[in-house]
């Protein structure tokens, strides 16, 4: 089976061709990071316009690279939410048009579920049940994955997400998007830990809160000179606080639910410092799973793969052209 994956939930235009026997044939991405850096954050109108401008080129590139034609596709999987409504509509319209014209079944995919499932694309993957920490630009969610499509949310951010903090502080430090990537690069030049707060770290809860840390850093920046050295120290200390919080919460979840298979997915999971801290847990008999970097940040391969799983397991989900987008769509909620 050949699956076409389409991702346009935020600012990345992704098209992937996935073969259920051979794996990912191609995973193409057009990133709008440079465009949105100019505005200090993602501008929804500009994101959807750029999806529209680029999606046909990216589709052609993906088909050419995998040496496939539209007629070779057996299933179309597309991000139907959560995300920016006008961005989701571009990918959804493309999916439904191809589906209608070529009579190919189409499957709406929950973008967050696709992040969770992305870990299963790899050869080295966790057995069920495992704990998944989704840490992306918009979400920080801890859940137990009991099986395909079986998710129990056990914690989440009460305010900002970890990725949002990386992005906001990065703009204040005059760095580029994606913030986490550039904060991580700059942190290597730091010579001092500024000991920023780590909200909820010692509390017996699996929820997260990052807004206090954000306000603390806003005030620090207001009251201190921003030379290169100080910027590097802010970058290091922010990364230190966020990664410590993430690791401590996943450790607590592992202890509470007695589950030793731990995975971290989503854009923030590409952070090397976080990976190093997590791999330290192997000493304590934890099995730690990360994606290759291309599967951490938004991509269409995870959509195609999840589409294949959904198509195989749930006959009702196929080819319903009446299905709308769902810009607010919880992981454990049916479409
Ligand atoms: O999963 P993703 O691509 O998009 C969403 O679904 O939101 O995640 C984007 C987030 C951004 O907040 C970005 O700053 C963060 O991932 N990110 C990183 C790194 N690369 C991207 N955070 C920390 N370290 C990185 N190397
Ligand atoms: Zn995402």
């Amino acid at each position: 089976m050949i699956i076409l994956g389409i991702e346009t939930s935020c600012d990345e235009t992704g098209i992937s061709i996935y073969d259920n026997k051979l794996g990912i044939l191609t995973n193409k991405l057009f990133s709008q990071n440079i465009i949105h850096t100019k505005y200090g954050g993602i501008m929804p109108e500009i994101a959807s316009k750029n999806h529209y401008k680029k999606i046909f080129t990216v589709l052609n590139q993906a088909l050419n690279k995998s040496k496939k034609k539209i007629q070779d596709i057996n299933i179309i999987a597309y991000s139907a939410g959560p995300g920016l409504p006008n961005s989701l509509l571009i990918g959804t319209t493309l999916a439904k048009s191809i589906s209608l014209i070529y009579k190919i079944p189409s499957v709406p995919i929950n973008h967050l579920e696709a992040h969770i499932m992305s870990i299963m694309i790899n050869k080295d993957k966790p057995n069920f049940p495992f704990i998944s920490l989704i840490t992306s630009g918009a979400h920080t969610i801890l859940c137990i994955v009991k099986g395909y499509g079986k998710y129990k949310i056990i914690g989440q951010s009460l305010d900002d997400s970890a990725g949002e903090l990386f992005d906001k502080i990065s703009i204040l430090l005059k760095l580029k998007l994606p913030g986490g990537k550039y904060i991580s690069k700059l942190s290597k030049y730091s010579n001092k830990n500024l000991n920023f707060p780590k909200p909820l770290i010692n509390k017996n809860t699996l929820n997260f809160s990052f807004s206090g840390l954000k306000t603390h850093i806003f005030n620090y920046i207001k009251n201190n000179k921003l030379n290169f050295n100080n910027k590097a120290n802010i970058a290091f200390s922010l990364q230190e606080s966020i990664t410590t919080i993430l690791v401590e919460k996943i450790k607590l979840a592992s202890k509470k639910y007695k589950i030793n298979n731990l995975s971290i997915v989503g854009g923030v999971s590409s952070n090397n410092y976080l990976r190093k801290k997590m791999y330290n847990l192997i000493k304590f008999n934890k099995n730690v799973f990360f994606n290759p970097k291309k599967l951490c940040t938004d991509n269409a391969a995870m959509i195609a793969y999840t589409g294949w799983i959904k198509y195989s397991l749930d006959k009702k989900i196929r080819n319903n052209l009446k299905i709308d987008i769902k810009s607010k769509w919880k992981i454990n909620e049916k479409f």
Side-chain angles (χ1 to χ4, degrees):
M1 289 287 223
I2 302 293
I3 303 100
L4 168 69
I6 304 177
E7 162 58 39
T8 62
S9 67
C10 191
D11 62 331
E12 317 275 14
T13 316
I15 301 278
S16 171
I17 313 282
Y18 183 86
D19 180 319
N20 75 314
K21 296 220 169 73
L22 301 175
I24 300 169
L25 300 183
T26 166
N27 184 17
K28 284 275 172 196
L29 200 74
F30 166 70
S31 171
Q32 302 179 20
N33 276 317
I34 296 171
I35 301 168
H36 295 279
T37 296
K38 276 196 298 212
Y39 299 96
I42 292 160
M43 303 294 284
E45 271 302 295
I46 290 168
S48 55
K49 218 180 254 176
N50 278 286
H51 282 310
Y52 176 71
K53 271 195 202 160
K54 285 286 174 183
I55 199 159
F56 301 102
T57 312
V58 183
L59 173 65
N60 270 328
Q61 286 171 348
L63 289 169
N64 289 340
K65 181 147 187 246
S66 59
K67 300 194 170 59
K68 299 284 177 205
K69 300 187 292 296
I70 291 277
Q71 289 86 341
D72 299 323
I73 308 287
N74 304 107
I75 305 162
I76 305 164
Y78 59 97
S79 259
L84 302 170
N86 289 347
S87 289
L88 289 166
L89 280 172
I90 305 289
T92 302
T93 305
L94 176 65
K96 287 186 179 183
S97 309
I98 302 175
S99 177
L100 188 68
I101 297 164
Y102 292 91
K103 306 207 170 5
I104 303 168
S106 59
V107 187
I109 298 299
N110 180 311
H111 176 91
L112 293 174
E113 179 176 13
H115 271 304
I116 297 175
M117 294 309 303
S118 63
I119 208 79
M120 306 303 281
I121 300 177
N122 306 305
K123 276 208 186 91
D124 185 24
K125 58 185 156 202
N127 291 323
F128 299 119
F130 63 89
I131 291 174
S132 182
L133 169 61
I134 309 155
T135 173
S136 66
H139 298 90
T140 309
I141 300 172
L142 255 175
C143 64
I144 297 176
V145 185
K146 295 179 193 165
Y148 291 112
K150 293 185 185 145
Y151 315 107
K152 180 184 163 144
I153 296 179
I154 53 173
Q156 57 196 310
S157 179
L158 305 172
D159 39 58
D160 297 338
S161 72
E164 209 174 325
L165 217 62
F166 274 125
D167 293 335
K168 286 194 172 141
I169 303 301
S170 154
I171 294 295
L172 284 182
L173 298 182
K174 309 227 169 351
L175 304 173
K176 291 187 243 168
L177 294 173
K181 181 175 163 187
Y182 293 96
I183 295 268
S184 169
K185 280 188 176 172
L186 182 60
S187 71
K188 297 200 176 101
Y189 299 94
S190 160
N191 58 7
K192 190 174 166 196
N193 184 356
L194 302 171
N195 288 315
F196 287 155
K198 301 179 181 76
L200 300 184
I201 190 101
N202 294 320
K203 297 269 187 297
N204 187 22
T205 168
L206 294 174
N207 289 330
F208 305 81
S209 168
F210 293 104
S211 68
L213 173 60
K214 182 177 71 183
T215 312
H216 182 93
I217 303 176
F218 277 11
N219 288 334
Y220 184 90
I221 291 175
K222 214 162 65 188
N223 298 324
N224 288 275
K225 268 211 180 111
L226 275 192
N227 54 31
F228 179 80
N229 187 243
N230 208 10
K231 275 183 170 183
N233 289 340
I234 294 170
F236 175 81
S237 312
L238 167 65
Q239 181 177 255
E240 172 61 29
S241 279
I242 290 181
T243 53
T244 305
I245 294 167
L246 297 178
V247 173
E248 287 306 314
K249 290 299 171 193
I250 203 168
K251 262 167 67 183
L252 183 61
S254 167
K255 191 172 156 202
K256 273 195 170 177
Y257 290 92
K258 298 187 176 51
I259 296 175
N260 283 333
N261 291 332
L262 313 176
S263 77
I264 307 194
V265 295
V268 177
S269 69
S270 33
N271 188 277
N272 287 335
Y273 195 69
L274 172 66
R275 287 174 177 240
K276 227 197 244 164
K277 281 189 171 176
M278 278 301 294
Y279 284 128
N280 271 335
L281 300 184
I282 294 173
K283 286 194 281 225
F284 305 100
N285 292 326
K286 311 284 181 203
N287 306 312
V288 176
F289 299 88
F290 278 102
N291 272 319
K293 302 223 170 151
K294 262 201 115 173
L295 291 181
C296 292
T297 40
D298 285 351
N299 65 86
M302 67 181 192
I303 305 295
Y305 174 77
T306 310
W308 160 241
I309 300 292
K310 291 265 150 197
Y311 178 89
S312 321
L313 296 181
D314 188 351
K315 309 257 185 294
K316 276 181 279 175
I317 202 128
R318 302 175 192 180
N319 213 20
N320 184 350
L321 291 177
K322 284 194 201 113
I323 278 175
D324 196 2
I325 55 158
K326 203 163 184 171
S327 65
K328 292 198 169 73
W329 184 6
K330 296 205 180 102
I331 302 170
N332 46 7
E333 186 189 356
K334 287 242 178 280
F335 198 91

